[in-house]
Amino acid sequence: MDFSDTSEEAAYRAQVCAWLDANAPDRLPRTAPTSEQLRAAKDWQAKKAAAGYAQISWAKEWGGPGGTTMQNVIYNQEEGRRGLATGFFGIGLGMCIPTVIAFADEVTKKRFVGPALRGEEIWCQLFSEPAAGSDLAAVRTSAVPDGDDWVVNGQKIWTSGAHYSDYGIVVTRTNRDAPKHKGLTMFWVDMTSPGIEVRPINQMSGESGFNEVFFTDVRIPDGQRLGAVDNGWKVSLVTLMNERLSIGGGGGGADYARFMELARGQTVGDEPALAHSAFREKIADWYVRTEGMKHTRMRSLTALSRGETPGPESSIGKVVAALQALNVAECAIDMLDAYGIIDDPEISPMRGAFQSLFLGMPGLRIAGGTDEILRNIIAERVLGLPGEIRVDKDVAFKDLPAGR
Amino acid sequence: MNFDFSDEQKFLRSEARKFLESAWPAARARGVVDDAAQSHDADMWRALAEQGWLGIAIPEPFGGLGLSRIDLCVIAEELGRVLAPVPFASTLYFLAEAVMLAGTADQQADILPRIVAGELIGAFASSEGPGVPTPATLRTTVSGGKLTGVKLPVTDGGIADLCVVLASEDGKPGLFLVDLNGPGVSRETLKTLDPSRGAARIAFTDAPATPLGAPGAGFDLAEQLLDRAAVLLAFEQVGLSDRCLEMARDFALERYAFGRVIGSYQAIKHKLADMYINNTLARSNAYYGAWALGTGAAELPVAAAAARVSACHAAAYAARENIQTHGGIGYTWESDCHLYYRRARQLGLVAGASIAWKERLVGRLEQRNAA
Ligand SMILES: Cc1cc2nc3c(=O)[nH]c(=O)nc-3n(C[C@H](O)[C@H](O)[C@H](O)COP(=O)(O)OP(=O)(O)OC[C@H]3O[C@@H](n4cnc5c(N)ncnc54)[C@H](O)[C@@H]3O)c2cc1C
């Protein structure tokens, strides 16, 4: 076992650091209006792409520098250390574009991959519907052929970033007589197409990162189809696989550290909170899980860097991280006693970081697969336990029961 | 970066697993539990010596194989899987490590070759009563080279030949080596939660003792020793935890209730998924500990404590919920579940309880952050 960079890795890291020191913006305007944040993020993405630091492991063919997975990791570590990750491009570059690359024709790929990489165009993922969340294959939004076009009607929901996205990938129902997994078809779509209406939804945190998207007689040319007709489930699985990789792989690890910092400065009774065994025991538990996750990621990366497929251990990331961050936030707020109720970056400790985690983490436990669904996946795919009893398997979609 | 065992280590692991599962399965631990007169499996101990495993991380000049601590971790994991009822930890993680850490050249030349040959069983005696021993509570004393006091529990104290004892001399705590077959030693077997790993109460009355390491350094050395042991034990715990998960999974695939295998119910699936999560985190923390131990990194104190806390949690949860998954059959004497449950507890206490390690971990994080 060896944690140090190899000499090539160390050289790459030095090169990345030198470039970041010379080129990185001081800080990105996180509390500014979305439009300002977006502008800054796009500028930064363009700069990265020009210097060969966007999608480092993508082949030259797709505008990446054709670097190694480890180079990608090293860059992300250094960018993360400087607080420069933005999140605006994750869904597009992490999920939509890989799906486009896998299923679109050459012209389409040439047209879209570069601009996405340079941050010029933003993508969203139009999968979930009011009646199709965990049970994604239950989508009802219909696509009906009409000449060379498809006519799409229905409603998507929880679509992150739809309000500033230029394009999206959308999964639709094209065959109601087939069982639900067998009647879906995927398209890419221009978000400015007539008939698309995006309505922001207010999240419980007060932000509005996601939206409802209504499709009314939206015409999508058949050339925008991704994969075969009625084969959309297979296509969406590719997107979802990439989603789990990109969501599970993220950082967010320093939560115990921020908690310790808070506990050092706060008093409980006449002692620093950090001296209290109730808090100390929790810090130890969180540290151990955070580090365990970090080292688990290293194990996956080791496999990747040898050209092997990472083991199933990478699937536990989000289950561990989201719930723990929520626990940390709850405990930090408790430490402040009655004062903890205040949610104001001007006067809440750490600029309200824990209040914002408290309001944000319930969403992360749901987005990209709920804790329950992810546990099912671990139990079934990793441990080989039987799948859920299916009452919907060989039933035509139109005959399935539906509740709220 | 390379965060995995090497190909050689993976080979060692699969060979060790084959050897242990065929010749020395968990049933050997049951043999020791069922036989009140036995506190370890002497045949197995001899077999491990013949395999060369007692000398794996001991340098070649002392007759060992001169491999790394990481190779020792590989073996530890496999011993944990089969609940090996042998004084491996007492002899190697405590006695051998103590001698390599603090022994003089003469002490090393005398003791290590005998360990490698399987001629010397070790023990570590620090506890004198409930709670973590501290300089203020330490009662065992040394005067004029003679040690007096009572230690309990001493794991493998009933069968050990040579014991590392924490005691104070002129008010300064130190480590001492005491020949348990020599004068001034009386031992009494204790009834413990895990009879497959025996423990004793040892009364010392003017027993001849030689210092191990610098006078006054007893607690420092004991702490370094515990850090090393914590990493090695974490691998035994990881082996045990994984085995518990496998047992629970296999049972969940065979047992039917309400017309379905119980493994198709989410309450069971999610429980096993949680076991998998804990075990994975514990394994990763143990790997980091192994790396720190193997390279002598400055990170060792933090990495060892993290490995310990993580492994204690994973093992306790896996052993407990393995019984629950088995239902009534899991609560019978005949089922192996309780052997794992007992051993999980034993491993979770033998280098100090998790709660004490959590405190140590946070203390070390504070120091690291202050530095
Ligand atoms: C912040 C955020 C951003 C999102 N961004 C996007 C996006 O960009 N694009 C997009 O398409 N979607 C997005 N989503 C939607 C997200 O994928 C769904 O919310 C999620 O998959 C859950 O679906 P649901 O909300 O319909 O809940 P439901 O599926 O109705 O779940 C309700 C409860 O039932 C449980 N449950 C459901 N099925 C099972 C089962 N088989 N076993 C056990 N329990 C079960 C769930 O775990 C949950 O606790 C986002 C969601 C959030 C919160």
Side-chain angles (χ1 to χ4, degrees), chain A residues 125 127-128 133-134 158-160 210 363 366-367 370 372-373 376, chain B residues 266:
Chain A
Q125 178 194 12
F127 280 18
S128 302
S134 302
W158 322 128
T159 318
S160 300
F210 56 30
I366 296 165
T370 64
E372 290 75 20
I373 293 295
N376 278 353
Chain B
Q266 278 190 356

Side-chain angles (χ1 to χ4, degrees), chain A residues 1-3 9 280-281 285 287-289 292 295-296 299 302 306 313 375-376 380 383 386 388, chain B residues 1-4 249 261 266 269-270 274 276 278 283-285 288 291 302 310 358-359 362 366:
Chain A
M1 281 183 211
D2 185 3
F3 280 97
E9 285 163 2
R280 291 175 85 78
E281 193 188 345
D285 285 333
Y287 177 81
V288 160
R289 289 177 87 77
H295 302 316
T296 299
R299 287 170 54 205
T302 298
R306 290 178 183 162
E313 58 279 346
R375 278 193 173 81
N376 278 353
E380 292 168 20
L383 301 176
E388 295 297 290
Chain B
M1 190 187 75
N2 171 20
F3 194 39
D4 195 2
R249 195 254 334 259
V261 291
Q266 278 190 356
K269 283 162 88 166
H270 288 188
D274 283 338
Y276 176 80
N278 290 336
R283 175 177 293 281
S284 301
N285 281 314
Y288 190 63
W291 168 79
V302 170
S310 198
K358 287 182 181 179
E359 177 51 43
V362 178
E366 282 183 275

Side-chain angles (χ1 to χ4, degrees), chain A residues 187-311:
Chain A
F187 299 92
W188 65 263
V189 61
D190 183 338
M191 292 300 286
T192 60
S193 309
I196 293 185
E197 187 199 344
V198 176
R199 290 190 206 149
I201 301 175
N202 298 324
Q203 295 167 198
M204 62 163 265
S205 60
E207 289 157 30
S208 13
F210 56 30
N211 307 269
E212 297 178 283
V213 182
F214 295 87
F215 285 75
T216 312
D217 293 333
V218 177
R219 297 194 79 85
I220 300 184
D222 187 59
Q224 297 185 194
R225 181 159 44 78
L226 297 169
V229 173
D230 290 351
N231 197 35
W233 182 245
K234 290 260 167 57
V235 181
S236 64
L237 286 182
V238 170
T239 318
L240 294 178
M241 245 165 48
N242 282 303
E243 173 164 20
R244 306 250 145 87
L245 274 181
S246 60
I247 294 189
D255 44 15
Y256 74 86
R258 282 200 293 182
F259 184 93
M260 271 184 94
E261 207 180 317
L262 180 70
R264 199 171 293 117
Q266 295 300 318
T267 51
V268 171
D270 41 20
E271 275 183 315
L274 190 49
H276 269 257
S277 59
F279 297 122
R280 291 175 85 78
E281 193 188 345
K282 291 206 161 111
I283 290 171
D285 285 333
W286 296 331
Y287 177 81
V288 160
R289 289 177 87 77
T290 307
E291 289 291 292
M293 237 7 272
K294 184 170 116 192
H295 302 316
T296 299
R297 235 172 273 134
M298 286 184 178
R299 287 170 54 205
S300 305
L301 291 173
T302 298
L304 271 175
S305 70
R306 290 178 183 162
E308 300 162 11
T309 324

Side-chain angles (χ1 to χ4, degrees), chain A residues 29-42:
Chain A
R30 282 193 203 289
T31 49
T34 309
S35 58
E36 249 172 70
Q37 293 186 42
L38 195 56
R39 178 98 320 273
K42 285 184 163 183

Side-chain angles (χ1 to χ4, degrees), chain B residues 126-134 137 152-153 219 349 352-353 355-356 360:
Chain B
S126 65
S127 173
E128 298 179 357
V132 183
T134 68
T137 61
L152 83 168
F219 277 91
L349 293 172
I355 189 77
R360 212 172 279 157

